[in-house]
Amino acid sequence: MARAGLTAERLTQAAAELADEVGFENVTVSALARRFGVTDPSLYSHIKNARDLRERLAALALTELADRAAAALAG
């Protein structure tokens, strides 16, 4: 059963915040689980594995970059 309040999007955003704090290479499922006060397996209802988490994090970063580039080009 999925824990209330946890979603793939919320986990991805929290992973981005964690990456800002400790660096991308230190973002792990365990570190993210500790941030939410849950066990690692609790997150697997929302993400497939650590690779999935990192891919989601990279996609978020690219989306944010594209948004900033579009805003800069728009003046």
Side-chain angles (χ1 to χ4, degrees):
M1 175 147 194
R3 185 177 177 105
L6 288 181
T7 64
E9 292 77 21
R10 187 164 179 225
L11 292 173
T12 303
Q13 188 59 47
E17 293 167 7
L18 185 60
D20 287 343
E21 294 169 16
V22 300
F24 180 80
E25 65 280 351
N26 294 316
V27 175
T28 63
V29 172
S30 294
L32 196 55
R34 281 192 301 274
R35 181 166 282 230
F36 284 98
V38 298
T39 61
D40 295 12
S42 298
L43 302 186
Y44 292 117
S45 296
H46 310 285
I47 59 172
K48 294 177 186 174
N49 50 38
R51 181 179 178 156
D52 180 41
L53 176 63
R54 288 178 182 239
E55 287 173 354
R56 289 172 183 272
L57 186 51
L60 175 63
L62 289 172
T63 299
E64 289 179 359
L65 178 62
D67 290 346
R68 287 182 185 211
L73 289 172

